[in-house]
């Protein structure tokens, strides 16, 4: 089972829910199989600040980018203008490649008549695999600074999950925020997407964007309200009016904010633990 | 004309509430730019009239003209993004997967593939309820937030400021540390970093500060929710001291922020106490420093 | 000598643009011919990522010896321009092309 936790915007409690939910269900007796928390917010993975364990494995991840072999180049100019992403500059005396802009489409490489632009592996980031407890694992992928393509690393992370875990293991995915390509890649093949929002006009606005995205992708989704108690009931009404399952409300508590600030789990608070339990039961029912 | 950009690294620090307050305090002396195009929220507080709207295109997407296709399959062979499925015996483009690289159009023997501009959002120029101008935008779903839309928002705001002799632009910057935030800050005069004393807040703000210093732009910092975790607040102060970034204000953790948003107002219009005066003070400092 | 300015308009009174990759356009001044020409950067301004690379390529193709911008070039544009052996003058400030040119000549 794969559950993706997402939100229209950062800072709504997406990471909080992912980390607390994963930790909570790993401690349940009726959960067989492994629980794995996966941080796919590869540009700014933050889950690791809340959950510590032993590093089992770290893998450098690569993608393919062309390399210019000056000796082979006949300056035929065929590659000039081929790259739609400005990753290749033909400047008469040489050909420059900007790996961080390359989308690995292979066009320049395969269109070059002299084989002067072979594709080679280029580092884009690192995947780390931790053991937190007997049945809780943590996978974190981090994009190198300066690399602009998040999607290939997210793809690699999905592949890693496939190779390491079974269908029956529970994967909780902390997705990147927003509605753009990385989110779409991160929620791919999730059985259910849980959208986290706050009960304010900002939260409602961001939630609507997220809901539109899920509809466009034809994804099953449900909503969790974080910091319930502040703001107003418009988010709740929106969910009700649109037939969207609202599967939990994590209460606003100063203590919770303080625990969060220290990088600690909120399931230490009973009230919140009960709500996380309810969210989990609802997920099981829905997926 | 001076451009002030407010950023935060991570979300949820109160960046938009503070920026909108500056927009109100600046009044007719500012043009407001919402560069948080992924999830723009400023309009919820400033109630713009959406008077001018324009479609925004960015990047490319392939399209196969079926009448000219001889079904040779070359496009499907070269596409590295699984974007050419065969549906009802026809080669078609899956727009959600198409990366817009154009490789297929290079190899198609009959030139049956055209590369169209891909629609990636809407762009608006509005009058706000306080009477100043807001330039804002909305990125389309699954669009690539490359910074181009952000650049367009900033360019337009600049033009309006110049034409009307308005001395300041106040911009709500993009979140994160990627391309959009780079597009929001390059060439600006002052960056205001809004952070909060949490482990992730500190972590993200140090990455953002590093990025800003690379571009050689002057920056100042506001710590929001400063009393939430005294130890981290002290850590942030030390960090700022080291980096020679002036700390211009510390705001308390206060539910008044959420209340103001709920009332559709900025925090300076909603609160009469310490929060209001602190934000007013920081706006003054910003105008002195910029 | 051929000098290229990142600029907001096509004459001597136009301002030097503080951006490079996403500048409005480029003005080429050919000293020998005493000729000023405007080259719009509209398509680069509209580029998603890598506007700097494309703008750099454009300046190279204009045959510049020196290139001037009001702010800085950005790392990618700088790499392209440097590889082509063109001299870069950043930080010209918010001045007119005329003022910038006079300053360079000094
Ligand atoms: S296509 Fe190949 S041979 Fe031709 S200029 Fe480019 S790199 Fe050189
Ligand atoms: S592989 Fe594609 S994206 Fe990369 S440089 Fe070549 S043409 Fe550009
Ligand atoms: S443009 Fe590129 S990604 Fe899109 S269909 Fe053609 S080859 Fe595939
Ligand atoms: S390459 Fe051109 S002709 Fe061949 S299948 Fe594709 S669209 Fe049709």
């Amino acid at each position: 089972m794969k559950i993706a936790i997402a939100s229209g915007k950062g800072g709504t409690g997406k990471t909080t829910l992912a980390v607390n939910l994963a930790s909570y269900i790993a401690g349940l007796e009726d959960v067989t199989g492994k629980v794995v928390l996966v941080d796919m917010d590869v540009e700014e993975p933050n889950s690791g600040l809340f959950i510590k364990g032993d590093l089992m494995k770290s893998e450098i991840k690569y993608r393919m980018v062309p390399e210019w072999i000056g000796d082979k180049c006949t300056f035929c100019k065929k590659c000039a203008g081929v790259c739609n992403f400005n990753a290749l500059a033909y400047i008469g005396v040489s050909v420059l490649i900007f790996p961080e802009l390359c989308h690995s489409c292979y066009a320049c490489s395969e269109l070059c008549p002299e084989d002067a632009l072979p594709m080679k592996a280029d580092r884009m980031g690192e995947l780390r695999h931790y053991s937190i407890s007997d049945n809780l694992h943590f996978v974190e992928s981090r994009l190198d600074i300066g690399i602009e393509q998040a999607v290939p690393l997210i793809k690699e992370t999905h592949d890693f999950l496939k190779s390491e875990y079974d269908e029956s293991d529970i994967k909780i995915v902390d997705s990147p925020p927003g509605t753009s390509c990385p989110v779409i890649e991160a929620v791919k093949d999730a059985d259910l997407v849980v959208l986290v929002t706050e009960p304010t006009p900002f939260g409602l606005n961001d939630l609507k964007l997220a809901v539109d995205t899920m509809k466009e992708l034809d994804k099953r989704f449900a909503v969790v309200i974080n910091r319930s108690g502040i703001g107003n009931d418009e988010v709740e009404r929106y969910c009700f009016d649109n037939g969207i399952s609202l599967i939990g409300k994590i209460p606003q508590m100063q203590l919770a904010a303080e625990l969060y600030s220290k990088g600690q789990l909120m399931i230490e608070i009973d009230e919140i633990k009960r709500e996380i339990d309810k969210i989990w039961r609802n997920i099981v029912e829905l997926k | 004309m001076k451009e002030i950009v407010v950023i935060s690294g991570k979300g949820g620090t109160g960046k938009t509430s503070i920026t909108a307050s500056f927009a109100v305090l600046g009044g007719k002396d500012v043009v407001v730019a919402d560069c948080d195009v992924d999830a723009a929220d400023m309009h919820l507080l400033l109630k713009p009239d959406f008077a001018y709207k324009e479609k925004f295109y960015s990047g490319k997407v392939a399209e196969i003209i079926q009448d000219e296709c001889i079904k040779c399959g070359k496009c499907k062979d070269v596409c590295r993004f699984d974007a050419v499925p065969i549906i009802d015996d026809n080669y078609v483009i899956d727009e959600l997967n198409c990366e817009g690289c154009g490789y297929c159009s290079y190899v198609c023997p009959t030139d049956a593939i055209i590369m169209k501009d891909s629609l990636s959002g809407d762009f608006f120029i509005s009058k706000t309820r306080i009477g100043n101008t807001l330039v804002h935008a909305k990125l389309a779903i699954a669009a690539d937030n490359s910074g181009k839309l952000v650049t367009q928002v900033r360019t337009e705001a600049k033009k309006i400021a110049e034409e009307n002799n308005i001395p300041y632009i106040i911009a709500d910057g993009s979140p994160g540390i990627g391309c959009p935030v780079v597009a929001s800050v390059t060439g600006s005069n002052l960056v205001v970093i809004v952070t909060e004393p949490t482990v992730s807040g500190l972590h993200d703000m140090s990455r953002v500060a590093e990025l800003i210093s690379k571009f050689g732009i002057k920056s100042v910092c506001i710590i929001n929710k400063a009393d939430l975790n005294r130890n981290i607040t002290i850590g942030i102060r030390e960090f700022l001291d080291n980096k020679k970034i002036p700390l211009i204000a510390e705001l308390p953790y206060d539910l008044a922020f959420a209340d103001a948003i709920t009332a559709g107002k900025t925090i300076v219009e909603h609160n009469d106490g310490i929060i209001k005066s602190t934000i007013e003070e920081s706006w003054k400092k910003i105008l002195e420093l910029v | 000598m051929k000098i290229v300015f990142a600029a907001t308009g096509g004459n001597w009174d136009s301002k030097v643009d503080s951006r490079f990759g996403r500048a409005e356009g480029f003005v080429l001044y050919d000293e020998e011919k005493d000729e000023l020409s405007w080259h719009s950067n509209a398509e680069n301004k509209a580029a998603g990522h890598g506007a700097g690379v494309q703008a750099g390529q454009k300046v190279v193709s204009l045959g510049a010896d020196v290139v001037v911008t009001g702010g800085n070039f950005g790392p990618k544009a700088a790499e392209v321009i440097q590889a082509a052996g063109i001299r870069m003058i950043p930080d010209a400030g918010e001045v007119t092309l005329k003022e910038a040119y006079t300053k360079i000549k000094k």
Side-chain angles (χ1 to χ4, degrees):
Chain A
M1 166 167 45
K2 201 185 249 174
I3 309 295
I5 317 288
S7 64
K9 182 170 199 149
T12 57
K14 179 176 58 64
T15 299
T16 305
L17 179 62
V19 173
N20 283 280
L21 184 65
S23 309
Y24 177 72
I25 52 186
L28 290 176
E29 284 187 356
D30 57 347
V31 169
T32 53
K34 288 227 156 31
V35 178
V36 48
L37 173 68
V38 193
D39 198 339
M40 291 219 188
D41 190 357
V42 298
E43 276 181 48
E44 297 194 60
N46 268 344
S47 294
L49 296 169
F50 299 88
I51 188 163
K52 305 263 172 318
D54 301 324
L55 183 65
M56 295 192 285
K57 194 189 294 178
S58 103
E59 290 178 5
I60 306 297
K61 290 295 177 192
Y62 301 90
R63 70 218 165 104
M64 302 304 279
V65 297
E67 177 183 38
W68 181 63
I69 313 283
D71 289 348
K72 288 190 176 174
C73 178
T74 54
F75 297 95
C76 71
K77 237 180 148 175
K78 278 217 171 90
C79 55
V82 162
C83 182
N84 267 3
F85 309 106
N86 299 323
L88 181 150
Y90 176 91
I91 52 168
V93 290
S94 66
V95 174
L96 297 181
I97 308 287
F98 293 87
E100 62 274 35
L101 295 176
C102 175
H103 289 225
S104 309
C105 76
Y106 285 69
C108 60
S109 183
E110 293 176 1
L111 290 170
C112 170
E114 309 294 338
D115 224 359
L117 292 167
M119 298 298 275
K120 66 161 202 312
D122 186 55
R123 186 189 151 120
M124 64 175 161
E126 194 177 353
L127 181 150
R128 289 167 174 241
H129 192 197
Y130 296 87
S131 159
I132 309 296
S133 67
D134 272 356
N135 66 333
L136 178 60
H137 286 177
F138 172 47
V139 175
E140 173 193 72
S141 288
R142 184 181 295 270
L143 210 59
D144 287 349
I145 290 189
I147 302 282
E148 288 168 7
Q149 298 302 316
V151 171
L153 184 56
I154 296 172
K155 271 196 181 127
E156 288 274 343
T157 313
H158 279 305
D159 289 347
F160 179 82
L161 292 178
K162 251 183 227 133
S163 68
E164 291 280 321
Y165 296 95
D166 291 333
E167 232 353 90
S168 60
D169 294 327
I170 301 168
K171 295 139 207 128
I172 306 290
V173 176
D174 186 0
S175 317
T179 60
S180 56
C181 309
V183 191
I184 285 158
E185 190 61 37
V187 304
K188 229 176 219 172
D189 75 7
D191 298 296
L192 182 74
V193 183
V194 177
L195 302 174
V196 186
T197 193
E198 291 183 352
T200 64
F202 281 14
L204 178 61
N205 184 53
D206 305 336
L207 175 64
K208 283 180 180 165
L209 296 174
V211 165
D212 287 348
T213 311
M214 293 310 133
K215 285 194 174 147
E216 176 91 22
L217 296 175
D218 224 351
K219 280 266 143 207
R220 289 170 65 82
F221 64 93
V223 170
V224 165
I225 294 180
N226 188 29
R227 301 185 68 201
S228 173
I230 62 167
N232 56 24
D233 61 359
E234 272 176 42
V235 169
E236 257 179 84
R237 221 178 313 145
Y238 166 79
C239 290
F240 183 79
D241 289 347
N242 291 279
I244 297 168
S245 329
L246 176 61
I247 58 168
K249 295 194 271 182
I250 302 171
Q252 155 69 22
M253 292 173 86
Q254 168 106 15
L255 181 59
E258 281 169 20
L259 288 174
Y260 170 82
S261 80
K262 290 186 230 160
Q264 289 172 4
L265 294 180
M266 291 178 189
I267 42 174
E268 291 171 23
I269 306 173
D270 274 343
E271 248 176 293
I272 290 185
K273 189 173 178 174
R274 272 200 299 278
E275 201 56 30
I276 298 280
D277 180 72
K278 184 174 133 199
I279 291 169
W280 171 241
R281 303 292 156 201
N282 281 331
I283 289 174
V284 173
E285 215 161 276
L286 277 174
K287 62 103 197 153
Chain B
M1 194 260 314
K2 303 283 187 188
E3 199 181 7
I4 302 148
V5 186
V6 186
I7 59 167
S8 71
K10 83 181 287 282
T13 60
K15 166 177 70 78
T16 302
S17 293
I18 291 171
T19 314
S21 296
F22 291 158
V24 168
L25 294 173
K28 295 257 161 68
D29 278 347
V30 297
V31 172
V32 191
D34 193 347
C35 297
D36 192 350
V37 297
D38 219 341
D41 279 335
M42 193 93 101
H43 62 278
L44 299 170
L45 299 182
L46 300 181
K47 311 267 154 65
D49 58 7
F50 294 87
Y52 175 81
K53 176 178 164 173
E54 185 183 299
K55 293 257 173 260
F56 168 79
Y57 295 87
S58 168
K60 300 278 177 190
V61 62
E63 183 186 329
I64 298 178
I65 312 291
Q66 293 301 336
D67 286 350
E68 282 162 34
C69 173
I70 55 168
K71 301 188 178 155
C72 70
K74 282 209 170 100
C75 49
K76 191 176 172 65
D77 290 345
V78 300
C79 180
R80 284 281 188 314
F81 304 94
D82 273 339
V84 196
I86 303 173
I87 295 177
D88 293 337
D89 228 21
N90 287 326
Y91 288 86
V92 294
I93 304 294
D94 175 351
E95 292 203 4
L96 223 47
N97 275 356
C98 175
E99 191 86 359
C101 68
Y103 195 0
C104 54
S105 70
Y106 273 99
V107 299
C108 174
T110 61
D111 283 338
I113 302 178
I114 50 166
M115 297 303 294
K116 302 181 292 186
D117 287 331
S118 106
L119 179 67
S120 65
D122 293 312
F123 172 85
F124 310 97
I125 302 173
S126 301
K127 268 266 159 311
T128 68
R129 66 178 164 87
I130 27 180
N132 50 21
T133 303
L134 173 66
V135 185
H136 48 144
K138 181 173 183 277
L139 203 68
I141 288 165
D144 184 14
N145 190 357
S146 57
K148 178 183 156 191
L149 185 51
V150 171
T151 303
Q152 185 172 343
V153 167
R154 286 184 62 201
T155 309
E156 197 58 43
K158 237 182 203 161
K159 214 161 85 195
I160 293 166
E162 259 158 20
E163 278 166 9
N164 299 289
N165 264 323
I166 297 172
Y168 303 104
I169 292 173
I170 179 83
D172 193 7
S174 308
I177 56 157
C179 257
V181 72
V182 171
S184 357
V185 300
T186 42
S188 68
N189 302 92
L190 183 76
V191 171
V192 181
I193 305 171
V194 178
T195 189
E196 60 176 29
T198 60
V199 279
S200 46
L202 176 59
H203 173 255
D204 286 3
M205 92 90 77
S206 59
R207 304 230 310 180
V208 157
E210 200 180 307
L211 185 87
I212 303 302
S213 70
K214 257 193 211 147
F215 283 90
I217 306 167
K218 207 164 31 166
S219 59
V220 298
C221 180
I222 293 177
I223 307 179
N224 193 12
K225 314 179 194 173
D227 50 349
L228 191 60
N229 187 323
R230 284 282 158 208
N231 286 335
I232 300 183
T233 295
I234 291 167
I236 294 176
R237 286 191 201 134
E238 277 166 7
F239 174 87
L240 295 172
D241 237 27
N242 269 331
K243 299 275 170 191
K244 307 239 173 332
I245 300 172
L247 172 63
I248 58 164
E250 288 185 12
L251 291 161
Y253 179 77
D254 199 319
L255 295 180
F257 277 90
D259 293 344
I261 294 171
T262 309
K265 285 188 188 157
T266 63
I267 184 88
V268 288
E269 292 165 297
H270 187 75
N271 174 287
D272 255 334
I274 182 91
I275 299 180
K276 181 178 182 180
S277 55
T278 311
I279 294 181
E280 281 171 347
E281 274 301 304
S282 31
W283 178 238
K284 268 189 219 139
K285 281 186 200 156
I286 288 169
L287 295 187
E288 275 163 27
L289 283 167
V290 66
Chain C
M1 197 165 70
K2 285 180 176 171
I3 303 169
V4 168
F5 300 90
T8 54
N11 56 61
W12 282 117
D13 295 324
S14 307
K15 285 261 167 69
V16 175
D17 204 316
S18 63
R19 299 155 304 179
F20 179 74
R22 293 183 203 274
E24 287 298 321
F26 299 102
V27 170
L28 170 68
Y29 178 53
D30 189 330
E31 283 185 317
E32 271 100 77
K33 296 189 196 147
D34 189 21
E35 236 175 49
L36 214 55
S37 58
W38 167 253
H39 305 267
S40 162
N41 190 38
E43 76 282 7
N44 289 2
K45 241 181 89 192
H49 302 260
V53 177
Q54 230 186 87
Q57 259 176 295
K58 183 153 197 148
V59 168
V60 173
S61 70
L62 289 174
D65 300 296
V66 178
V67 54
V68 184
T69 175
N72 50 40
F73 286 91
K76 295 186 191 100
E79 204 179 321
V80 173
I81 297 166
Q82 215 156 34
I86 300 169
R87 220 183 114 206
M88 285 182 280
I89 302 183
D91 297 323
E94 279 188 42
V95 295
T96 62
L97 300 192
K98 188 88 232 166
E99 286 162 339
Y101 180 70
T102 323
K103 215 156 87 190
I104 299 166
K105 282 291 139 185
K106 277 189 197 149

